[in-house]
mmCIF file of all heavy atoms in Angstrom:
data_model
loop_
_atom_site.group_PDB
_atom_site.id
_atom_site.type_symbol
_atom_site.label_atom_id
_atom_site.label_comp_id
_atom_site.label_asym_id
_atom_site.label_seq_id
_atom_site.Cartn_x
_atom_site.Cartn_y
_atom_site.Cartn_z
ATOM 1 N N HIS U 341 29.000 -11.501 -36.124
ATOM 2 C CA HIS U 341 29.953 -10.483 -35.770
ATOM 3 C C HIS U 341 29.706 -9.189 -36.561
ATOM 4 O O HIS U 341 29.734 -8.091 -36.042
ATOM 5 C CB HIS U 341 31.344 -10.998 -36.122
ATOM 6 C CG HIS U 341 32.454 -10.031 -35.779
ATOM 7 N ND1 HIS U 341 32.754 -9.682 -34.481
ATOM 8 C CD2 HIS U 341 33.297 -9.301 -36.562
ATOM 9 C CE1 HIS U 341 33.757 -8.817 -34.472
ATOM 10 N NE2 HIS U 341 34.093 -8.566 -35.724
ATOM 11 N N ARG U 342 29.386 -9.401 -37.856
ATOM 12 C CA ARG U 342 29.087 -8.227 -38.673
ATOM 13 C C ARG U 342 27.830 -7.493 -38.138
ATOM 14 O O ARG U 342 27.779 -6.296 -38.036
ATOM 15 C CB ARG U 342 28.845 -8.638 -40.139
ATOM 16 C CG ARG U 342 30.044 -8.288 -41.005
ATOM 17 C CD ARG U 342 29.875 -8.869 -42.425
ATOM 18 N NE ARG U 342 30.132 -10.315 -42.410
ATOM 19 C CZ ARG U 342 29.381 -11.161 -43.080
ATOM 20 N NH1 ARG U 342 28.330 -10.757 -43.780
ATOM 21 N NH2 ARG U 342 29.674 -12.453 -43.055
ATOM 22 N N LEU U 343 26.879 -8.298 -37.735
ATOM 23 C CA LEU U 343 25.642 -7.736 -37.167
ATOM 24 C C LEU U 343 26.002 -6.906 -35.893
ATOM 25 O O LEU U 343 25.499 -5.767 -35.712
ATOM 26 C CB LEU U 343 24.697 -8.859 -36.754
ATOM 27 C CG LEU U 343 23.388 -8.417 -36.137
ATOM 28 C CD1 LEU U 343 22.428 -7.962 -37.187
ATOM 29 C CD2 LEU U 343 22.773 -9.538 -35.299
ATOM 30 N N TRP U 344 26.895 -7.500 -35.125
ATOM 31 C CA TRP U 344 27.413 -6.837 -33.905
ATOM 32 C C TRP U 344 27.917 -5.442 -34.250
ATOM 33 O O TRP U 344 27.569 -4.476 -33.571
ATOM 34 C CB TRP U 344 28.561 -7.675 -33.374
ATOM 35 C CG TRP U 344 28.654 -7.650 -31.875
ATOM 36 C CD1 TRP U 344 29.378 -6.808 -31.154
ATOM 37 C CD2 TRP U 344 27.967 -8.510 -30.994
ATOM 38 N NE1 TRP U 344 29.254 -7.102 -29.839
ATOM 39 C CE2 TRP U 344 28.382 -8.148 -29.713
ATOM 40 C CE3 TRP U 344 27.076 -9.557 -31.136
ATOM 41 C CZ2 TRP U 344 27.907 -8.777 -28.560
ATOM 42 C CZ3 TRP U 344 26.628 -10.154 -30.008
ATOM 43 C CH2 TRP U 344 27.046 -9.792 -28.728
ATOM 44 N N GLN U 345 28.731 -5.409 -35.333
ATOM 45 C CA GLN U 345 29.339 -4.107 -35.685
ATOM 46 C C GLN U 345 28.291 -3.151 -36.238
ATOM 47 O O GLN U 345 28.314 -1.963 -36.025
ATOM 48 C CB GLN U 345 30.441 -4.323 -36.693
ATOM 49 C CG GLN U 345 31.702 -4.854 -36.022
ATOM 50 C CD GLN U 345 32.795 -5.164 -37.002
ATOM 51 O OE1 GLN U 345 32.490 -5.444 -38.153
ATOM 52 N NE2 GLN U 345 34.030 -5.129 -36.548
ATOM 53 N N SER U 346 27.360 -3.778 -36.991
ATOM 54 C CA SER U 346 26.357 -2.916 -37.582
ATOM 55 C C SER U 346 25.416 -2.310 -36.519
ATOM 56 O O SER U 346 24.687 -1.361 -36.738
ATOM 57 C CB SER U 346 25.524 -3.676 -38.609
ATOM 58 O OG SER U 346 24.758 -4.656 -37.905
ATOM 59 N N LEU U 347 25.485 -2.908 -35.293
ATOM 60 C CA LEU U 347 24.600 -2.376 -34.227
ATOM 61 C C LEU U 347 24.944 -0.934 -33.912
ATOM 62 O O LEU U 347 24.068 -0.164 -33.506
ATOM 63 C CB LEU U 347 24.723 -3.276 -32.985
ATOM 64 C CG LEU U 347 23.844 -4.474 -32.930
ATOM 65 C CD1 LEU U 347 24.061 -5.230 -31.677
ATOM 66 C CD2 LEU U 347 22.424 -4.031 -33.033
ATOM 67 N N ASP U 348 26.223 -0.579 -34.039
ATOM 68 C CA ASP U 348 26.575 0.815 -33.810
ATOM 69 C C ASP U 348 25.847 1.737 -34.727
ATOM 70 O O ASP U 348 25.387 2.834 -34.364
ATOM 71 C CB ASP U 348 28.139 1.029 -33.912
ATOM 72 C CG ASP U 348 28.787 0.707 -32.609
ATOM 73 O OD1 ASP U 348 28.036 0.586 -31.596
ATOM 74 O OD2 ASP U 348 29.996 0.584 -32.579
ATOM 75 N N GLY U 349 25.743 1.277 -35.997
ATOM 76 C CA GLY U 349 24.919 2.038 -36.946
ATOM 77 C C GLY U 349 23.489 2.105 -36.517
ATOM 78 O O GLY U 349 22.901 3.218 -36.570
ATOM 79 N N VAL U 350 22.965 1.041 -36.028
ATOM 80 C CA VAL U 350 21.627 1.010 -35.516
ATOM 81 C C VAL U 350 21.461 2.018 -34.353
ATOM 82 O O VAL U 350 20.490 2.748 -34.281
ATOM 83 C CB VAL U 350 21.229 -0.382 -35.060
ATOM 84 C CG1 VAL U 350 19.828 -0.372 -34.456
ATOM 85 C CG2 VAL U 350 21.284 -1.337 -36.174
ATOM 86 N N ALA U 351 22.471 2.014 -33.501
ATOM 87 C CA ALA U 351 22.461 2.951 -32.362
ATOM 88 C C ALA U 351 22.363 4.390 -32.853
ATOM 89 O O ALA U 351 21.567 5.174 -32.351
ATOM 90 C CB ALA U 351 23.731 2.784 -31.486
ATOM 91 N N LEU U 352 23.185 4.655 -33.875
ATOM 92 C CA LEU U 352 23.157 6.023 -34.450
ATOM 93 C C LEU U 352 21.785 6.338 -35.006
ATOM 94 O O LEU U 352 21.181 7.425 -34.734
ATOM 95 C CB LEU U 352 24.231 6.120 -35.534
ATOM 96 C CG LEU U 352 24.539 7.549 -35.976
ATOM 97 C CD1 LEU U 352 25.202 8.262 -34.844
ATOM 98 C CD2 LEU U 352 25.402 7.541 -37.222
ATOM 99 N N ALA U 353 21.269 5.391 -35.732
ATOM 100 C CA ALA U 353 19.926 5.594 -36.351
ATOM 101 C C ALA U 353 18.920 5.837 -35.280
ATOM 102 O O ALA U 353 18.088 6.746 -35.350
ATOM 103 C CB ALA U 353 19.516 4.403 -37.202
#
Side-chain angles (χ1 to χ4, degrees):
Chain U
H341 183 66
R342 255 173 285 136
L343 179 80
W344 212 267
Q345 283 176 334
S346 68
L347 273 180
D348 273 348
V350 176
L352 194 66

